Structures are given as structure tokens and as C-alpha cells.
Amino acid sequence: MKILEDEHGTTVRWGMFSPNWSSLYFVAEWLLSARGPFHLQYYSAGWFNERHEGCWAAADRVRHLIQKSDVQLVQSVYIATVPKTHRDVPSLLRRAINESRADEDCSVDCTYDVPSRRFRVARIGPQSTIAKLWGVSPGCYPCRIGHAYDQAVSQVYSQVMRAGEPHYDHVYAAMVSTRGDVVWVPYQRVVVPIESGTGRKAVRIVTEVSRVEISPL
């Protein structure tokens, strides 16, 4: 376990697979007098990163996670369909829902490849979430095809093309970062149908890392 307190707040980092319970219970009490905001970084099939503004919320979360120490996560991707009227939709995504379109700079395009029967990333906007976290290389983890993440997030693309309407949901996924470690990324997304430059059916995805209505632990 590692604890860091500085001008940026308090960070607690530990592994869920081999916790020292007495230390965690002590930390939960100690947080009540520590400096906020509070960053909880814990490992369970990948690194989770949570931010809590209040000391009571952080302490309660640590106590809750103590009870989850023996939970084995069997999924690497969790997706929840959420009403488009959700109160916490980021403004960028709200515009995409209302206008059924998204700016190229902030989005990613995926086209359907007939021979492989898979969707492939055709364009990465320079201000998209992928570009900010992984860069614009088509070989970065979120752009590769065939793994569990690709199969899970692309399932809705055909539905969007058939319906011709925006789709909004929440995603919590374990992905390989640019450093090579596995991190859990929570984000909201909107998928809209578009016509690609080659005339093939395609979708445009705009996302934003944000709080989601999903809690793997």
C-alpha cells in the first residue's frame, strides 16, 4: 500500500488481490482528517482510478472495497444503455444526440469492412478521447480489432446504421495504456450513423471520460 499527501490532495494506492485489511481500515479512519480531494487507485484486473471530493465519501468507498477484496472480475468491458435524458450527459455528447452529428476533430469514424465482417477505425480526430489518451496511431489498443474490447463496443454499430439514430450509453473498460499497464477507463459515448467518403456505411463515435452508471466493484 502507498499513501501520498501533497498540495494536490491525498492518494491511496493498493492491490485488491492481496490487501492488508487492518491497514485499509486504518486508512479509512485516517482519511477523515486528511487533505482532499481524495484519489483511490486500486488494482483488480487493471488499475481503477477514482476521485472523491469529500473525506466521508472516500472513507466509505475504501470500506466498501474491503468487502470486495475476494471478487474476481471476469469481464474486461461493461456497457450500460442509459436514457438520453440522463442528467449528467456532457455537453459535447448532448449536442451529438440532439443534432445526430459530431465534429470530426472530437470523434472517431469506423467503417464496415465486408471481407473481415468487422468495423475498422478509419479516422481519429485530433481532439478525440483516443487521441488524447493514446495518440492518433491506428495501431493503438482501442483501434485494434478482434479482442474483447473491440467485439463489445462494436456490437451496437450495425444497430445504429439500421436505425439511423444516435445511440447513447456508458462504458467501463480495461484497456492497455501507452505505458503498457492495464487501466480501467469509464466513459460516456454517442454513436451516430454517417456515410463514409467511399460510400460505405459507417458510424461516428464521440466519447468523453466521465462518471458512469456502472460499478464493476
Side-chain angles (χ1 to χ4, degrees):
M1 177 182 295
K2 180 179 180 180
I3 300 174
L4 174 65
E5 187 177 26
D6 56 22
E7 65 275 11
H8 302 296
T10 301
T11 300
V12 182
R13 186 178 177 92
W14 76 97
M16 291 284 288
F17 53 87
S18 58
N20 183 313
W21 289 4
S22 60
S23 295
L24 284 174
Y25 278 115
F26 173 82
V27 166
E29 296 300 322
W30 175 81
L31 286 174
L32 299 180
S33 59
R35 173 185 292 181
F38 304 91
H39 306 274
L40 306 182
Q41 301 175 349
Y42 53 95
Y43 189 93
S44 182
W47 284 104
F48 285 87
N49 293 274
E50 297 181 2
R51 176 188 171 109
H52 299 272
E53 298 298 331
C55 60
W56 287 99
D60 287 345
R61 183 57 172 157
V62 170
R63 294 189 189 98
H64 175 80
L65 289 170
I66 291 173
Q67 309 304 318
K68 298 289 185 176
S69 296
D70 60 344
V71 174
Q72 299 288 328
L73 295 177
V74 296
Q75 293 178 232
S76 59
V77 186
Y78 296 84
I79 300 176
T81 299
V82 181
K84 297 175 184 177
T85 54
H86 190 264
R87 65 182 183 277
D88 293 328
V89 180
S91 58
L92 179 66
L93 274 61
R94 176 64 67 191
R95 289 197 300 271
I97 293 173
N98 293 338
E99 301 173 9
S100 192
R101 60 177 299 276
D103 293 338
E104 288 190 359
D105 284 352
C106 302
S107 61
V108 173
D109 291 351
C110 291
T111 58
Y112 185 70
D113 181 66
V114 176
S116 65
R117 297 183 179 181
R118 295 183 183 276
F119 283 89
R120 295 180 180 271
V121 174
R123 184 193 59 79
I124 302 173
Q127 297 302 316
S128 65
T129 301
I130 286 180
K132 292 176 181 178
L133 297 181
W134 283 273
V136 295
S137 169
C140 66
Y141 181 83
C143 297
R144 299 172 194 165
I145 64 172
H147 51 48
Y149 174 76
D150 165 59
Q151 294 173 5
V153 299
S154 64
Q155 285 185 2
V156 74
Y157 296 168
S158 294
Q159 172 189 327
V160 170
M161 292 193 305
R162 288 194 300 269
E165 298 179 352
H167 172 86
Y168 167 67
D169 60 17
H170 291 185
V171 181
Y172 214 143
M175 294 187 276
V176 179
S177 74
T178 55
R179 301 185 303 273
D181 55 345
V182 179
V183 295
W184 285 90
V185 181
Y187 65 90
Q188 300 184 25
R189 71 170 175 172
V190 173
V191 183
V192 298
I194 61 170
E195 288 285 348
S196 69
T198 60
R200 289 186 294 175
K201 292 292 185 178
V203 292
R204 178 163 292 171
I205 305 101
V206 57
T207 64
E208 189 163 321
V209 175
S210 178
R211 187 180 298 276
V212 297
E213 296 295 322
I214 303 171
S215 182
L217 290 173

